[in-house]
Amino acid sequence: MNVVVVDRYGGAAQGNSAKSEGAYRNMFVSETNFMLANSSIEWFQYMQDDLGYDLKLHNVGYLWLHSRGQFDKLKGGYNRMAEQGVDIRYLEGSEINDCIPDLVTHFDGDEDAELMNLQNVDYGVYGKKCGSLDADSMVKSYEKMFHKLGGETLYNVDVKELILKPEEDLEIPGEPFIWQNKIIKGARTSKGEITSDTTVLATGAWASQLLEPIGLDSYIRPKKRQLFAFKDPKLKGLLDVKNLNTSGGLPLTILPTAGVYLKSELTEGSLWVGCADDLGRKFELEEDAQPESDYYTNNIYHVLEKYFPCFNGLRPLNSWAGQYAINSLDGSPIVEPHPGLIYVGGASGSGIMKCDAIGRVAAGAYAGLETVELFDGSKFRVSDIGITNRSVKKESMII
Amino acid sequence: MNVVVVDRYGGAAQGNSAKSEGAYRNMFVSETNFMLANSSIEWFQYMQDDLGYDLKLHNVGYLWLHSRGQFDKLKGGYNRMAEQGVDIRYLEGSEINDCIPDLVTHFDGDEDAELMNLQNVDYGVYGKKCGSLDADSMVKSYEKMFHKLGGETLYNVDVKELILKPEEDLEIPGEPFIWQNKIIKGARTSKGEITSDTTVLATGAWASQLLEPIGLDSYIRPKKRQLFAFKDPKLKGLLDVKNLNTSGGLPLTILPTAGVYLKSELTEGSLWVGCADDLGRKFELEEDAQPESDYYTNNIYHVLEKYFPCFNGLRPLNSWAGQYAINSLDGSPIVEPHPGLIYVGGASGSGIMKCDAIGRVAAGAYAGLETVELFDGSKFRVSDIGITNRSVKKESMII
């Protein structure tokens, strides 16, 4: 087959993928998401251990921190995770501080904390098959494999629009007419027309821009997410946590309040901090999303510093922003075939960690298969993440 | 209670509702859609017969025309309709022409028809509890009832944005912060701020414009639909069909090809013709959508004139366009509660015919009810058309 990757940037995945946190987890309640992520993680491990690509995988884990009240509500979801094979360890009381001495777990009597609705940390839920990878290294590895298979890449080529044609072109002005069957035949780009039997549209936050002009829905809206990176001797305890993982790096840790999360980035010995924006953070496509310094100083900082006083007075060394392509309806990816087109999108911020499986499903959609085998051997019904016969359990654990 | 309707236009429903075809049907496969439409239709009949409001209801019916192949595929859907209480009559062979002598049912040997993929008419599926109403008369009636109940209307007031505030306002610059619970407290309008305990957003195609800036998804995209009206002695046969309904008006009739449909408009003795745009018709919010004359002459006309030669040479007397608010995922309405806000939308072109029931569900969401009783006595679970616990069977009969 003749496969060409077209990208507007100078290399693959230099858009929002490059801005990603690069975290991965198999901790999903929805069976769909679990299957997609779990098998992709096994594939990543295989790529690194057996195929020799350095993805900078750091198996630091994920750690969700909860108050008693929160935990009681989420317990059912964690039980479902465990049933479908997620390797979970529950931490309780002093165990949490034994692992992470820098963490403040209780705010009793702290008026500021009360004003800020800060929840105590009574429980920790640690996922083992989770961690951190380097998005850029991974994409470079995929690119290498793709070229080896004979794939072609066209960078710095901007896709302007999809080409919609009648299935049988009569070459009459005004085509396609309403009585003609229509098919996508490729794309008009900054370097001319590229025609193809099948066009796979996987443009993340930019999906609507290309689909809407031909009348197709992307089901997603773009939303900015920001990351702030820190490196400071005061944070060394967070690169040396105990009894959780072998590397000592702080797991991707989700605070019980305001959607603030952080993780160790062992490759560079730093800590990355983010926040799950929701109500109040606009949906909008931004060509060059920027971090906002006051979003850290006036918002994240006050929460973070309460739970982790070691951040007191620290300013980020670096910060950047990217955009999630959010499918608000069920938070799960979409692989939807149209005539001549396969739309792949809606990963809602967890696309990298599911990318291998999503790719296999897209390949299955191309081949007209009912079911595909994922890397871990599990069977996945292609139509489950399509639209027409969509069958996705709603995901409750979205960050 | 103190209820205020705010509308940017000089009266209620002067936006896309005013451009509507005003057709109604209970012919839905999805139980959700059936329940919403069926009970609303009973309410319309009650409004007109018992409450004395003239909605210009014309019970002309709906008539879907199919080739044998199409019918075989759709039979299961029709059976489900019948099971849930849709009153259906099947027409076959010469029966169809007995009712509508003007209709050409077979194109054997017609090369143009073959080129245009025109399907023969082998079957007709007639729905009895369907027809036509006047959207403007209905809205005026609702307005009268609303005023009688003490409701207030503010017209020519343009809503600029929703007001998002912290639940507990600390009056610190920069609020709402990430650690504050957020709530919608009303809207900023061209006539100043209007605050409210609960804001109901029911702005159809304009929903995204108001929701996206505060980070909420509307799940809809706007798409233009056009209508072309005809009045001509050559069409008199279509105002005098036999053995279908008591008025003789052509039912809303859907041709087997290209999504072309037409109906009689008995109030003015005219025929209205439209086409269900899909692939190829862009999604885009237009402030003042316009009909395209070549869309009729180069597209609809050629199909229409084959099935109904009485349209030969006729040009529309009048034409107009409006926008559907399309929920592409399941084609069904959405009533989604947020803090301080209830979003009502996504009716996908069949909002008027479901409006009574949707209003009752929205009222139930406001009151925090699990279930509401619709006008026909059926019980409807409010969360079924919400997002969090959405439970909607996908609709296959969308025009």
Side-chain angles (χ1 to χ4, degrees):
Chain A
M1 268 190 298
N2 200 341
V3 183
V4 183
V5 166
V6 182
D7 201 301
R8 77 193 307 186
Y9 291 112
Q14 297 306 302
N16 292 315
S17 303
K19 319 290 180 60
S20 158
E21 173 140 48
Y24 67 85
R25 57 168 163 136
N26 68 348
M27 297 180 83
F28 287 98
V29 177
S30 146
E31 197 193 353
T32 313
N33 284 326
F34 167 72
M35 288 178 76
L36 296 174
N38 190 64
S39 67
S40 296
I41 294 167
E42 299 209 350
W43 163 256
F44 300 153
Q45 207 67 56
Y46 172 77
M47 253 175 113
Q48 180 160 304
D49 299 346
D50 296 71
L51 302 182
Y53 293 102
D54 184 12
L55 309 183
K56 297 176 183 154
L57 290 177
H58 291 290
N59 183 213
V60 291
Y62 256 58
L63 180 62
W64 307 72
L65 301 175
H66 299 301
S67 68
R68 192 169 307 278
Q70 291 173 329
F71 182 72
D72 286 346
K73 278 185 207 154
L74 296 167
K75 219 160 140 183
Y78 287 122
N79 286 342
R80 273 199 299 284
M81 276 189 200
E83 275 162 30
Q84 61 198 11
V86 180
D87 199 347
I88 283 177
R89 177 180 156 203
Y90 293 102
L91 304 169
E92 226 175 313
S94 63
E95 228 181 326
I96 303 170
N97 264 123
D98 292 346
C99 297
I100 312 173
D102 281 323
L103 176 70
V104 173
T105 55
H106 287 81
F107 298 104
D108 314 301
D110 180 336
E111 281 178 26
D112 284 351
E114 201 176 320
L115 184 77
M116 290 165 70
N117 307 306
L118 300 193
Q119 302 291 309
N120 288 333
V121 177
D122 298 310
Y123 290 91
V125 184
Y126 180 75
K128 297 184 191 174
K129 197 172 174 173
C130 306
S132 175
L133 57 79
D134 183 61
D136 198 55
S137 302
M138 189 166 74
V139 172
K140 291 269 188 313
S141 307
Y142 267 113
E143 191 188 36
K144 219 175 268 178
M145 296 166 80
F146 177 63
H147 282 151
K148 266 191 209 164
L149 286 165
E152 207 186 316
T153 45
L154 284 179
Y155 297 131
N156 293 311
V157 178
D158 201 8
V159 174
K160 302 291 187 190
E161 56 180 5
L162 297 171
I163 302 171
L164 186 70
K165 291 265 190 186
E167 223 165 47
E168 291 174 63
D169 205 329
L170 303 173
E171 310 206 352
I172 305 173
E175 287 182 289
F177 299 113
I178 57 165
W179 41 267
Q180 289 179 303
N181 292 321
K182 294 162 199 75
I183 183 168
I184 289 93
K185 293 221 169 164
R188 292 187 185 92
T189 78
S190 55
K191 302 268 167 74
E193 285 197 1
I194 299 174
T195 54
S196 60
D197 287 338
T198 303
T199 303
V200 176
L201 188 93
T203 57
W206 287 276
S208 310
Q209 241 182 358
L210 292 166
L211 290 173
E212 292 185 0
I214 60 163
L216 294 177
D217 201 327
S218 67
Y219 316 99
I220 66 108
R221 261 95 177 161
K223 192 176 270 210
K224 179 161 83 174
R225 278 290 173 86
Q226 306 169 48
L227 285 170
F228 301 89
F230 298 82
K231 210 168 176 175
D232 195 279
K234 288 167 74 176
L235 303 179
K236 71 175 191 321
L238 303 183
L239 299 170
D240 187 27
V241 304
K242 311 287 181 205
N243 303 322
L244 278 178
N245 52 43
T246 53
S247 63
L250 184 76
L252 190 139
T253 302
I254 302 104
L255 302 183
T257 303
V260 174
Y261 52 83
L262 66 166
K263 72 158 187 178
S264 58
E265 181 48 51
L266 294 174
T267 313
E268 51 182 41
S270 63
L271 271 299
W272 288 11
V273 180
C275 179
D277 293 284
D278 189 7
L279 184 56
R281 169 65 60 184
K282 69 182 167 195
F283 279 116
E284 187 188 41
L285 179 64
E286 298 177 62
E287 279 307 315
D288 185 22
Q290 291 299 322
E292 303 148 16
S293 69
D294 76 318
Y295 188 63
Y296 180 74
T297 46
N298 294 340
N299 282 281
I300 295 174
Y301 175 72
H302 295 293
V303 176
L304 183 64
E305 183 265 351
K306 283 283 177 189
Y307 288 98
F308 285 107
C310 53
F311 275 92
N312 187 283
L314 294 189
R315 309 282 292 179
L317 271 186
N318 193 8
S319 60
W320 63 95
Q323 293 210 282
Y324 277 20
I326 298 186
N327 158 11
S328 307
L329 244 149
D330 58 35
S332 300
I334 293 160
V335 174
E336 187 188 19
H338 292 287
L341 179 86
I342 298 172
Y343 165 53
V344 180
S348 307
S350 58
I352 292 180
M353 67 181 85
K354 295 173 190 155
C355 68
D356 174 70
I358 294 174
R360 288 171 201 262
V361 176
Y366 171 76
L369 300 179
E370 212 171 290
T371 305
V372 290
E373 188 173 318
L374 303 182
F375 180 71
D376 66 358
S378 58
K379 303 269 186 286
F380 193 93
R381 192 160 56 211
V382 173
S383 64
D384 279 0
I385 55 171
I387 296 298
T388 315
N389 294 304
R390 192 165 183 82
S391 174
V392 167
K393 291 257 164 53
K394 195 188 265 335
E395 183 54 55
S396 51
M397 299 304 270
I398 293 177
I399 308 175
Chain B
M1 269 190 299
N2 201 342
V3 182
V4 183
V5 167
V6 181
D7 200 300
R8 79 195 303 188
Y9 291 112
Q14 296 307 301
N16 291 315
S17 304
K19 318 291 180 59
S20 158
E21 173 140 46
Y24 67 85
R25 57 169 163 137
N26 68 349
M27 296 180 84
F28 288 98
V29 178
S30 146
E31 197 193 353
T32 313
N33 284 326
F34 167 72
M35 288 178 76
L36 296 173
N38 191 63
S39 67
S40 295
I41 295 167
E42 298 210 350
W43 163 256
F44 300 154
Q45 207 66 56
Y46 172 77
M47 254 177 115
Q48 180 159 303
D49 298 347
D50 296 72
L51 302 181
Y53 293 103
D54 183 11
L55 309 183
K56 298 174 184 156
L57 290 178
H58 291 290
N59 183 209
V60 290
Y62 256 59
L63 178 64
W64 307 72
L65 301 176
H66 300 302
S67 68
R68 193 169 307 277
Q70 291 174 330
F71 182 72
D72 286 346
K73 279 187 203 149
L74 295 167
K75 219 159 137 184
Y78 287 123
N79 285 342
R80 275 200 297 285
M81 277 189 197
E83 275 163 29
Q84 63 198 9
V86 180
D87 199 347
I88 283 178
R89 179 183 155 200
Y90 294 102
L91 304 170
E92 225 175 314
S94 65
E95 229 182 327
I96 303 170
N97 263 123
D98 291 347
C99 297
I100 313 173
D102 282 323
L103 176 69
V104 172
T105 55
H106 288 80
F107 299 104
D108 314 302
D110 180 335
E111 280 179 25
D112 286 351
E114 202 177 318
L115 185 81
M116 292 165 71
N117 308 305
L118 300 193
Q119 301 292 309
N120 288 333
V121 177
D122 299 309
Y123 289 91
V125 185
Y126 181 75
K128 298 185 190 173
K129 199 172 172 176
C130 306
S132 173
L133 56 78
D134 182 63
D136 198 57
S137 301
M138 190 168 74
V139 172
K140 290 272 186 319
S141 306
Y142 266 113
E143 190 188 36
K144 220 175 264 178
M145 294 166 80
F146 177 64
H147 283 149
K148 264 191 208 163
L149 287 164
E152 209 183 317
T153 44
L154 285 180
Y155 296 132
N156 294 309
V157 178
D158 201 6
V159 173
K160 302 292 188 191
E161 56 180 6
L162 295 171
I163 301 171
L164 186 71
K165 292 266 192 184
E167 221 164 49
E168 291 175 61
D169 205 330
L170 303 171
E171 308 203 354
I172 305 173
E175 287 184 285
F177 299 113
I178 57 165
W179 40 267
Q180 290 179 302
N181 293 322
K182 294 161 199 75
I183 183 169
I184 288 94
K185 294 220 167 163
R188 292 186 187 93
T189 77
S190 55
K191 300 272 169 70
E193 284 196 3
I194 300 175
T195 55
S196 60
D197 288 337
T198 302
T199 302
V200 177
L201 187 91
T203 56
W206 288 276
S208 310
Q209 239 182 1
L210 292 166
L211 290 173
E212 291 186 2
I214 61 164
L216 295 177
D217 202 326
S218 67
Y219 317 99
I220 68 107
R221 262 96 178 162
K223 194 175 270 211
K224 180 161 81 175
R225 281 288 173 89
Q226 307 169 47
L227 285 170
F228 301 88
F230 297 82
K231 212 171 173 172
D232 195 277
K234 289 166 73 177
L235 303 178
K236 70 176 191 321
L238 303 183
L239 299 169
D240 188 26
V241 304
K242 311 287 180 202
N243 303 321
L244 279 177
N245 52 43
T246 54
S247 63
L250 184 77
L252 190 140
T253 301
I254 301 106
L255 301 183
T257 303
V260 174
Y261 50 84
L262 66 165
K263 72 161 188 176
S264 60
E265 181 50 52
L266 294 174
T267 313
E268 50 183 39
S270 62
L271 271 300
W272 288 11
V273 179
C275 179
D277 293 285
D278 190 6
L279 184 56
R281 171 61 62 185
K282 71 182 166 194
F283 279 116
E284 186 187 42
L285 180 63
E286 298 177 62
E287 279 305 316
D288 185 21
Q290 291 298 323
E292 302 149 15
S293 69
D294 76 318
Y295 188 62
Y296 179 73
T297 47
N298 294 339
N299 283 280
I300 295 175
Y301 175 71
H302 295 293
V303 176
L304 182 63
E305 186 263 351
K306 283 283 178 190
Y307 288 97
F308 286 106
C310 53
F311 275 92
N312 187 281
L314 294 190
R315 311 280 296 177
L317 272 185
N318 192 9
S319 61
W320 62 96
Q323 292 210 284
Y324 276 22
I326 297 185
N327 158 12
S328 308
L329 243 148
D330 59 34
S332 298
I334 294 160
V335 174
E336 187 188 19
H338 293 286
L341 180 85
I342 299 172
Y343 166 53
V344 180
S348 306
S350 58
I352 292 180
M353 67 181 85
K354 297 175 188 155
C355 68
D356 174 71
I358 294 173
R360 288 171 201 260
V361 175
Y366 172 78
L369 300 179
E370 211 170 289
T371 304
V372 290
E373 188 174 319
L374 302 183
F375 181 71
D376 65 359
S378 58
K379 304 267 186 285
F380 193 94
R381 193 159 56 208
V382 173
S383 63
D384 278 0
I385 55 170
I387 297 298
T388 315
N389 295 304
R390 191 164 185 82
S391 174
V392 168
K393 291 255 164 54
K394 192 187 272 324
E395 183 54 55
S396 51
M397 299 303 270
I398 293 178
I399 308 176

